[in-house]
Amino acid sequence: MIPVPTNTKVWLAAGVTDMRKGFNGLSAQTEKVLKAAPYCGHLFVFRGRRGDLIKVIWWDGQGACLFMGSEAGGKSAAIAYTLIETAKLNGVDPQAWLTDTLACIADHKINRIDELLPWRYAQT
C-alpha cells in the first residue's frame, strides 16, 4: 500500500489519452490541458481509447511515479491476492502451496479440485 497524504486531490483527465506516453508526456499534458503542476503531489488519472486501461502519474515528493493497469489485470491480481491471503489465514506457506498446486493441477480430477484448496493442503 502506498500512503497518499489526505489532502491529495485526484484529477481525472477527460477524453482519450495516448497510452504510449510515459511520465514526461503525461506531465506535459497535465500542464497544457489541466493547467496544473504535475509535481504538486496530486494524482493525475488518464484513460486509454477503449476505456479499459488507465495511467496515473504522481510526484510523491521524492520522485516521479507512473502507475498503469487494466480491468483484467485488476481482476487477476484480486484472485492472486485472495489465494495468497487464504493460504496465510490457514497457516500455509503461500509459495509452497502454489508451487505444489500448480505442479499437480493438470493431472488432478476436476470433481476433486477442492482437495487442492489451502485449508485442505494444511491437513496433509
Side-chain angles (χ1 to χ4, degrees):
M1 178 77 93
I2 298 172
V4 177
T6 56
N7 61 343
T8 302
K9 294 179 182 176
V10 178
W11 293 71
L12 301 174
V16 176
T17 301
D18 181 355
M19 289 288 109
R20 296 174 293 183
K21 292 182 179 179
F23 187 90
N24 291 338
L26 293 173
S27 62
Q29 186 172 342
T30 299
E31 291 175 319
K32 181 180 176 186
V33 177
L34 298 175
K35 307 290 189 242
Y39 301 100
C40 65
H42 297 306
L43 294 163
F44 299 93
V45 182
F46 304 87
R47 72 181 274 283
R49 181 165 305 285
R50 292 189 320 232
D52 63 345
L53 182 66
I54 65 166
K55 281 192 175 181
V56 179
I57 62 170
W58 177 46
W59 178 263
D60 68 358
Q62 298 178 359
C65 303
L66 172 65
F67 305 97
M68 60 182 280
S70 66
E71 183 179 358
K75 287 179 181 179
S76 296
I79 291 168
Y81 297 148
T82 300
L83 290 172
I84 290 167
E85 290 304 314
T86 300
K88 288 179 183 178
L89 288 171
N90 284 278
V92 174
D93 174 23
Q95 185 173 2
W97 170 70
L98 283 169
T99 301
D100 291 348
T101 301
L102 292 173
C104 71
I105 197 167
D107 299 324
H108 205 81
K109 293 187 185 275
I110 190 70
N111 62 346
R112 293 176 39 202
I113 203 77
D114 62 308
E115 295 172 356
L116 300 177
L117 295 172
W119 50 90
R120 296 287 297 270
Y121 183 84
Q123 297 171 0
T124 59

